[in-house]
Amino acid sequence: MWKLFFRRLLAAVLTLSILTVFVFALLYLYPGDPAERILQARMNGELPSSRDIVDELKKEMELDAPPYLLYLNWANGVLHGDLGYSYVTRRPATTILSESFQATTELVIISMLIVVFFGLSLGLLAAWKEDSNIDNLLSYLAILGISVPGYVTAFVFILVFAVGLHLLPVAGRSGLQSMLMPSASLSLGGVAMLMRMTRCDILEEMRQDYVLAARAKGLGEGRILIKHIFRNSLPPLVTYLGLELGGLFSGAIIVENIFAWPGIGQLLVDSVQSGDIPMVQACVLIIGVIFICINIVVDLLYIYIDPRIKPEGVL
Amino acid sequence: MSHRDLDILKENIQGNKKILMGSGIIGIVLLIAILAPLIAPHDPEAIDLNNRIASWTADYPLGTDYMGRCLLSMLVYGLRLSLIIAAMVLFARVTLGTTLGLIAGYCGGTSDRLICRIIDFELVFPDIVLALVLVGTLGPGIPNMVLALSIVGWSKYARIIRSTVISVKEKGFVESARALGVSEGYIMRKHILPNSISPLIPMVTLGLGGLLLSVSGLSFIGLGVEAGTPELGMMIKNGFSAFPGHPHLVLVPSAVIVICVTGFMLIGDGIRDLLDPRKGNSFNSF
């Protein structure tokens, strides 16, 4: 178990270093001179008046150094929690990032709870009532749920609950009420996917011989369903939930933009649009770290839930 | 006919029903996209400021948007453009994924390890974030968007192809081809590849649906096509600015996206149901 953990960790560090190179390279991928960009952002979009100011800034920020030195310098800062300063607000990127991270995490956790609760229970219901009208209805609703993009759901919610019924605030972050529409529109696709997977896995497990054996032993149906069937269908679901958690973080990008939710998604889009490179780098880095962590946890959980998997088999 | 056979038959029909429904939807959608110049009554980019947010008339069957552009024409051309972008990206992704998967699976060794590492990295990171950052960096526009979306999202195809190739290359016919002195390149192209691509079929249809969502999503947040281009996501973005007075400007293009994606999902789902041997409902069981 520990050996596997360290191997996974090593792989994660490797992935992370590839990520940092990509993130750093963004500085050069952006068209134009970084120094000019910084000045432009500081002066509300006006181009710097003379070359001298640009050169001065270059010297000040040591932007003329060769890229690998700049990279090492930057990576050293990252390791010490220093992600540089936002070109636009000139506040430390780490501070801005931690505020946004908190907002996004709130949203994602609530959405995840919705996904797990409704996904699992509707999936169990569909499997239990296999081929009934409810099952058929749910299966078509699931396809619809996957096909509707988050911003469309969001729009319909706003139209009905905020504009039509005046029940919920249109946008912003002000308590639990303001969280209902964003998390509902964020989690719809996940609920649909998890429901389908749960149904499929449970049905497959129900046809296994051990269910027959358990029944022959005289165990109650409820006990068989929960302790045997459900437990055995968990491993693929856990992997899926890991993916879904990641999916919620990336889905949050669009949903946050609609509801003016001050999270990482909105920060990323704003920073990309204004060319605020340190903030873009910070966002991409944190999203990458989140995804890498999720992956490690899912792999380890997988082994914990299904001891039949040999650690060697995973890698 | 036993009860089990009846079940299998029913499941097959259900699978086919999905495929039939999906194909019907996609058939109509493709027809509309191909015939766009004939269907659209106006130039989708023609601005008529005297006729802003007009309601339904004989001249403008669906009314106009906030710039006085014909909604129906924009919708038809937007659908066409979104589909073309999605198809181009999908083609690039499948080509890239298949090539890398084939090399990794067939050659093994160092190239396999290297490609697997890249696949791992690509799988870990969400497509939309990388694409968004790349479009933001390169600037909006169709070529940049196609490029950004093609660089990401290929790894799932590569992974499937790799694992299929690994099992196919051990088969007898590969051995005999090699014994006949056929070159490795020829074996890869003519023997391994055709026998490895079937798992991609449902993935490709599902992928098209997903890509339509990504393309319109990127345009929606302003990091896709250039402003003013008739594209479904861009239309929704523009509709939001006329909100809340005229919800149909958002709802109509949204409905078109949802119908398209549902069509692709139904086909992909139906094919997967039929191909999935675990469910025991393949055609052989009759």
Side-chain angles (χ1 to χ4, degrees):
Chain A
M1 180 86 183
W2 282 111
K3 199 178 148 199
L4 175 78
F5 180 72
F6 283 118
R7 266 164 69 182
R8 288 301 297 161
L9 210 61
L10 199 71
V13 170
L14 206 62
T15 312
L16 198 61
S17 14
I18 303 177
L19 180 69
T20 57
V21 174
F22 169 76
V23 165
F24 179 75
L26 284 176
L27 186 67
Y28 295 94
L29 275 176
Y30 260 97
D33 189 351
E36 249 172 56
R37 243 171 200 293
I38 299 171
L39 284 169
Q40 204 178 341
R42 283 187 189 170
M43 296 188 301
N44 299 325
E46 277 174 55
L47 279 171
S49 49
S50 76
R51 262 334 288 181
D52 295 347
I53 314 175
V54 178
D55 290 336
E56 200 177 311
L57 188 80
K58 258 191 183 165
K59 206 177 279 170
E60 181 196 315
M61 296 184 71
E62 294 167 352
L63 283 171
D64 277 332
Y68 73 93
L69 269 183
L70 277 180
Y71 170 73
L72 289 178
N73 205 356
W74 175 81
N76 185 39
V78 170
L79 285 176
H80 291 90
D82 173 17
L83 289 163
Y85 288 82
S86 160
Y87 288 172
V88 179
T89 59
R90 295 170 97 176
R91 289 170 63 209
T94 339
T95 321
I96 304 176
L97 197 65
S98 65
E99 291 165 5
S100 308
F101 181 64
Q102 207 187 346
T104 298
T105 314
E106 264 174 33
L107 193 62
V108 166
I109 288 176
I110 300 282
S111 307
M112 194 67 186
L113 291 177
I114 298 177
V115 169
V116 171
F117 180 76
F118 286 102
L120 287 182
S121 49
L122 289 176
L124 271 170
L125 178 72
W128 185 42
K129 299 262 182 196
E130 192 193 355
D131 286 338
S132 68
N133 287 337
I134 299 180
D135 182 27
N136 285 333
L137 179 71
L138 283 175
S139 102
Y140 281 101
L141 279 181
I143 290 185
L144 195 66
I146 296 167
S147 315
V148 179
Y151 48 89
V152 174
T153 329
F155 182 78
V156 175
F157 281 150
I158 294 178
L159 205 61
V160 175
F161 295 107
V163 178
L165 300 172
H166 296 289
L167 279 177
L168 298 167
V170 175
R173 180 174 174 229
S174 50
L176 200 63
Q177 258 198 334
S178 64
M179 209 187 264
L180 283 175
M181 289 199 295
S183 51
S185 32
L186 186 54
S187 53
L188 186 72
V191 171
M193 284 294 278
L194 183 62
M195 182 183 101
R196 272 162 51 117
M197 288 199 60
T198 312
R199 175 185 178 275
C200 203
D201 288 343
I202 299 258
L203 284 182
E204 204 184 310
E205 290 297 326
M206 272 182 178
R207 296 189 183 116
Q208 301 287 321
D209 289 340
Y210 71 84
V211 179
L212 205 62
R215 251 182 221 137
K217 253 184 7 184
L219 293 181
E221 283 299 315
R223 195 181 153 93
I224 295 174
L225 187 65
I226 300 300
K227 286 217 77 161
H228 294 259
I229 298 177
F230 191 58
R231 165 125 198 192
N232 272 300
S233 50
L234 267 183
L237 295 183
V238 166
T239 324
Y240 174 69
L241 281 179
L243 286 175
E244 178 55 28
L245 189 61
L248 288 177
F249 270 103
S250 50
I253 293 173
I254 289 178
V255 169
E256 280 176 5
N257 271 284
I258 296 173
F259 290 102
W261 189 265
I264 294 183
Q266 214 193 0
L267 183 68
L268 177 64
V269 173
D270 287 349
S271 314
V272 165
Q273 273 164 347
S274 61
D276 193 349
I277 300 169
M279 285 321 300
V280 177
Q281 290 175 324
C283 289
V284 175
L285 200 62
I286 187 83
I287 295 173
V289 171
I290 293 170
F291 274 77
I292 290 170
C293 291
I294 293 174
N295 265 292
I296 296 181
V297 172
V298 167
D299 279 353
L300 294 179
L301 265 182
Y302 206 83
I303 299 161
Y304 175 75
I305 294 174
D306 193 349
R308 282 171 300 183
I309 299 168
K310 289 274 182 307
E312 284 79 9
V314 177
L315 284 170
Chain B
M1 213 179 216
S2 72
H3 186 67
R4 167 127 183 91
D5 281 348
L6 267 179
D7 271 355
I8 293 170
L9 186 67
K10 211 171 121 193
E11 274 183 25
N12 254 323
I13 292 170
Q14 220 171 27
N16 281 334
K17 211 159 71 182
K18 278 187 191 164
I19 297 182
L20 280 177
M21 261 174 72
S23 318
I25 296 174
I26 296 307
I28 295 171
V29 164
L30 284 182
L31 207 63
I32 293 175
I34 291 168
L35 298 178
L38 296 177
I39 297 170
H42 296 273
D43 175 1
E45 294 180 55
I47 293 169
D48 180 2
L49 289 175
N50 294 323
N51 226 340
R52 285 155 56 170
I53 319 191
S55 61
W56 308 6
T57 57
D59 201 19
Y60 295 106
L62 284 177
T64 59
D65 76 344
Y66 74 112
M67 295 272 274
R69 285 172 294 202
C70 171
L71 198 58
L72 178 65
S73 311
M74 286 184 76
L75 214 54
V76 172
Y77 275 98
L79 177 67
R80 177 161 138 141
L81 186 61
S82 302
L83 282 174
I84 291 174
I85 297 176
M88 274 161 61
V89 173
L90 187 78
F91 180 75
R93 282 183 178 183
V94 171
T95 312
L96 191 63
T98 309
T99 314
L100 287 176
L102 191 61
I103 294 172
Y106 191 72
C107 303
T110 320
S111 52
D112 186 27
R113 272 198 296 276
L114 187 70
I115 292 172
C116 277
R117 181 95 345 258
I118 306 174
I119 291 177
D120 276 353
F121 174 70
E122 217 284 308
L123 274 181
V124 160
F125 214 75
D127 300 349
I128 194 86
V129 174
L130 282 188
L132 188 155
V133 170
L134 284 172
V135 176
T137 315
L138 303 170
I142 296 168
N144 287 345
M145 187 158 131
V146 171
L147 180 70
L149 280 171
S150 307
I151 298 175
V152 298
W154 49 267
S155 51
K156 44 184 183 290
Y157 305 117
R159 207 167 58 153
I160 296 283
I161 288 286
R162 175 181 172 269
S163 58
T164 326
V165 166
I166 286 176
S167 67
V168 168
K169 77 173 175 185
E170 304 297 332
K171 293 264 167 70
F173 62 84
V174 178
E175 201 72 16
S176 25
R178 197 168 294 143
L180 284 170
V182 179
S183 78
E184 296 289 319
Y186 190 85
I187 293 178
M188 267 164 89
R189 271 183 294 119
K190 295 283 171 181
H191 293 284
I192 306 268
L193 190 60
N195 283 295
S196 311
I197 49 173
S198 67
L200 286 190
I201 297 167
M203 287 178 78
V204 163
T205 19
L206 293 173
L208 257 178
L211 263 172
L212 266 181
L213 292 180
S214 305
V215 168
S216 53
L218 279 177
S219 299
F220 174 76
I221 48 178
L223 290 169
V225 297
E226 280 159 328
T229 316
E231 195 271 346
L232 294 174
M234 185 52 85
M235 288 175 72
I236 297 175
K237 178 185 158 74
N238 291 337
F240 258 81
S241 50
F243 179 75
H246 307 278
H248 72 280
L249 290 179
V250 174
L251 292 177
V252 174
S254 301
V256 173
I257 294 183
V258 171
I259 291 170
C260 275
V261 180
T262 310
F264 285 122
M265 293 285 170
L266 280 170
I267 299 179
D269 224 42
I271 297 176
R272 197 165 51 184
D273 284 354
L274 290 181
L275 286 182
D276 198 348
R278 283 184 310 171
K279 292 183 92 181
N281 60 358
S282 65
F283 292 116
N284 302 337
S285 40
F286 282 100

